[in-house]
Amino acid sequence: MFEAAHFVSLQIVIDPQQSEVVIRRLREQQQLRETQQALLRAGAPRQLMIQLYGWNANHYWKQRRFLGLGQDHPRGGRPANPSRRQEAQILRAWDQFTDRPLGERYLETARAAGVSVRQVHRLLEVLAAPDPEAPPAPAVRPGPPAYRTRSTPPGMRDAH
């Protein structure tokens, strides 16, 4: 019989503080992924996902397909306008969830008002848009252009 000698010694040292940091980051990433998927399931439009998470259109469509949402609002589509009661619920919920990250705020607002994230986003866009019937702001005539002379150090401008 041949007897093998032990020639490898292995010792694993785990740093508990570093482990906790890694575990916390993994939990945060998982929570973010769950929020993004919940937003998509709740009807989040492409524009919102691009604004919130820096997605591009291709990633948005791939995520929708992954979740089996490919045919819901295939071209984005304008959401049905919420009723006056739903509008009030949306605005009340929006104000209630100010402490949440923006993605979660949209999601919780939609859930509380019983509407889609698409409807919440659309209502907030409409409310933030300037009033088309308001008189135009007076035109401000710009002053003379600023020129840089040879004696002016770079970054400094003299108005002439």
Side-chain angles (χ1 to χ4, degrees):
M1 290 285 255
F2 177 73
E3 192 173 314
H6 294 281
F7 62 91
V8 175
S9 175
L10 181 65
Q11 181 179 5
I12 298 175
V13 177
I14 297 176
D15 181 347
Q17 292 171 331
Q18 283 299 99
S19 298
E20 188 58 38
V21 169
V22 170
I23 291 170
R24 188 177 333 112
R25 285 185 186 155
L26 288 172
R27 284 184 186 134
E28 289 169 358
Q29 288 175 351
Q30 180 64 27
Q31 176 63 37
L32 178 62
R33 190 171 22 263
E34 289 172 4
T35 298
Q36 291 170 344
Q37 289 177 353
L39 280 165
L40 290 174
R41 285 186 186 102
R46 181 182 66 216
Q47 179 185 4
L48 179 64
M49 299 305 281
I50 290 170
Q51 290 171 348
L52 292 177
Y53 303 111
W55 288 11
N56 61 34
N58 190 38
H59 185 72
Y60 174 81
W61 292 115
K62 284 181 180 179
Q63 290 301 308
R64 289 181 57 77
R65 235 178 291 130
F66 174 75
L67 295 172
L69 303 171
Q71 296 306 313
D72 298 342
H73 300 290
R75 298 275 183 241
R78 179 170 280 177
N81 290 329
S83 67
R84 294 276 185 208
R85 182 181 61 76
Q86 288 173 323
E87 283 183 10
Q89 288 174 322
I90 290 169
L91 296 176
R92 194 170 29 255
W94 184 254
D95 289 340
Q96 178 184 352
F97 297 116
T98 56
D99 61 328
R100 306 278 176 93
L102 202 49
E104 289 179 26
R105 190 176 183 191
Y106 273 100
L107 185 59
E108 294 303 323
T109 297
R111 287 175 176 165
V115 298
S116 72
V117 172
R118 188 175 296 272
Q119 289 173 303
V120 172
H121 182 251
R122 176 74 178 137
L123 175 64
L124 295 175
E125 272 188 332
V126 167
L127 293 175
D131 183 3
E133 295 180 14
V140 177
R141 185 171 177 193
Y147 297 98
R148 194 168 79 76
T149 64
R150 289 180 190 246
S151 62
T152 306
M156 299 293 292
R157 297 182 95 119
D158 289 277
H160 293 276

